[in-house]
Amino acid sequence: MTIFRLRKESHKEAIQESCETEGLNIRNLNVSISGNHILKNINLEIPNRKITCIIGPSGCGKSTLLRSMNRLIDSVPNVKVNGEIWLDGENVYGQNVELTHIRRKMGLLSQRPTPLPMSIYDNVAYGCRIHSMYHSKELAATVERNLKATALWDEVKDRLHSPASALSIGQQQRLCLARGLAVNPRFILGDESTSALDPISSRHIENLFVSLKEQYGVVLVTHTLRQALRIADHVVFMYLGEVVESGDAKTLFSNPKNDLTKQYLSGVFS
């Protein structure tokens, strides 16, 4: 019994150490909604400081997987989740986990921008104030730093106290990204976060993701293979709620191992 317990604890410590060094580790994740089995035994290692693109046909579970990472899936009626997601030695689905703490580590950039009904400045400062992260003297510098990180500062520096709703859609999406960065996340999650934007704004956001991966892990759900080809370092291909294949983007795109992956990449189905 003692030997078994030691082995079990050693295995747990190994998982925790792996999470701290490599990023997000998903183990045996199953999600059902109203009795429908949406995600089926997902096992993945998502690297830190790289862009991971989750691809696959509509309805295959991509967005459900993404929203399971920071537990936004909890708000879905009749949802049942089993499994583990490890980040920084902590199981996201462990007992007594504080949700705002988890969501601070993994901010989500949605399909359409969701600025808060307040000023540009207060949008970026909002999360910092909630988490009591900075003194008031530091807050202005934090707002400026993150607006610069999202290439928005020069466009808004003279109207920081104007309503965020007055910004263009592309600017609003960058503002939402700045708001998420201000609370020092570990990962940035994007759910079709460029699909509502014009081509110029979309490319702007893509370029930001590429620059931000130097500091953060980035996980993106995308229906656009061209986007994944442009920016992905790591790719996860899903079909009918299962991970069919995952790995280095160049290898997977040039030499997929699974026939289903080959068919999807060649356009047999979408």
Side-chain angles (χ1 to χ4, degrees), residues 101-129:
H101 164 71
I102 292 299
R103 290 169 184 166
R104 172 184 161 185
K105 287 187 174 185
M106 292 185 280
L108 178 67
L109 197 63
S110 300
Q111 183 174 0
R112 296 193 63 84
T114 54
L116 300 171
M118 53 185 67
S119 71
I120 295 167
Y121 182 97
D122 287 335
N123 261 268
V124 182
Y126 182 78
C128 301
R129 287 171 172 153

Side-chain angles (χ1 to χ4, degrees), residues 136-193:
S136 57
K137 293 181 180 179
E138 300 173 311
L139 201 53
T142 300
V143 170
E144 179 177 346
R145 181 173 65 252
N146 288 286
L147 287 173
K148 285 181 175 178
T150 54
L152 196 54
W153 174 254
D154 289 339
E155 299 172 30
V156 303
K157 62 184 179 182
D158 297 324
R159 48 175 176 150
L160 291 175
H161 299 289
S162 299
S165 58
L167 297 173
S168 70
I169 292 180
Q171 288 174 325
Q172 288 180 21
Q173 193 68 306
R174 282 185 281 152
L175 178 66
C176 292
L177 181 55
R179 184 178 69 206
L181 294 178
V183 296
N184 297 326
R186 283 273 278 106
F187 275 78
I188 300 166
L189 311 180
D191 190 3
E192 294 288 342
S193 48

Side-chain angles (χ1 to χ4, degrees), residues 26-231:
I26 302 172
R27 295 286 178 262
N28 303 316
L29 181 67
N30 287 270
V31 176
S32 298
I33 299 175
S34 299
N36 296 315
H37 200 174
I38 307 299
L39 297 182
K40 304 166 185 176
N41 202 38
I42 304 295
N43 288 276
L44 280 174
E45 292 186 2
I46 296 178
N48 190 22
R49 297 189 179 183
K50 290 187 178 182
I51 296 177
T52 297
C53 285
I54 305 174
I55 63 173
S58 297
C60 70
K62 300 186 299 296
S63 294
T64 299
L65 175 58
L66 194 75
R67 290 172 181 271
S68 298
M69 293 177 189
N70 66 353
R71 292 192 56 174
L72 279 177
I73 196 70
D74 289 17
S75 62
V76 176
N78 302 315
V79 67
K80 182 179 180 182
V81 181
N82 289 301
E84 300 175 343
I85 299 179
W86 289 88
L87 176 65
D88 294 337
E90 182 177 28
N91 179 13
V92 170
Y93 285 93
Q95 293 183 350
N96 303 317
V97 168
E98 211 279 308
L99 286 184
T100 57
H101 164 71
I102 292 299
R103 290 169 184 166
R104 172 184 161 185
K105 287 187 174 185
M106 292 185 280
L108 178 67
L109 197 63
S110 300
Q111 183 174 0
R112 296 193 63 84
T114 54
L116 300 171
M118 53 185 67
S119 71
I120 295 167
Y121 182 97
D122 287 335
N123 261 268
V124 182
Y126 182 78
C128 301
R129 287 171 172 153
I130 285 179
H131 295 289
S132 302
M133 293 177 63
Y134 301 101
H135 296 295
S136 57
K137 293 181 180 179
E138 300 173 311
L139 201 53
T142 300
V143 170
E144 179 177 346
R145 181 173 65 252
N146 288 286
L147 287 173
K148 285 181 175 178
T150 54
L152 196 54
W153 174 254
D154 289 339
E155 299 172 30
V156 303
K157 62 184 179 182
D158 297 324
R159 48 175 176 150
L160 291 175
H161 299 289
S162 299
S165 58
L167 297 173
S168 70
I169 292 180
Q171 288 174 325
Q172 288 180 21
Q173 193 68 306
R174 282 185 281 152
L175 178 66
C176 292
L177 181 55
R179 184 178 69 206
L181 294 178
V183 296
N184 297 326
R186 283 273 278 106
F187 275 78
I188 300 166
L189 311 180
D191 190 3
E192 294 288 342
S193 48
T194 62
S195 63
L197 307 181
D198 63 84
I200 293 175
S201 296
S202 295
R203 189 58 64 91
H204 206 154
I205 294 289
E206 285 182 13
N207 292 338
L208 285 174
F209 286 143
V210 171
S211 64
L212 289 170
K213 74 178 182 180
E214 295 179 5
Q215 302 177 60
Y216 311 94
V218 181
V219 187
L220 306 175
V221 164
T222 180
H223 282 294
T224 309
L225 277 176
R226 291 189 303 275
Q227 183 177 69
L229 284 164
R230 284 193 296 266
I231 66 174

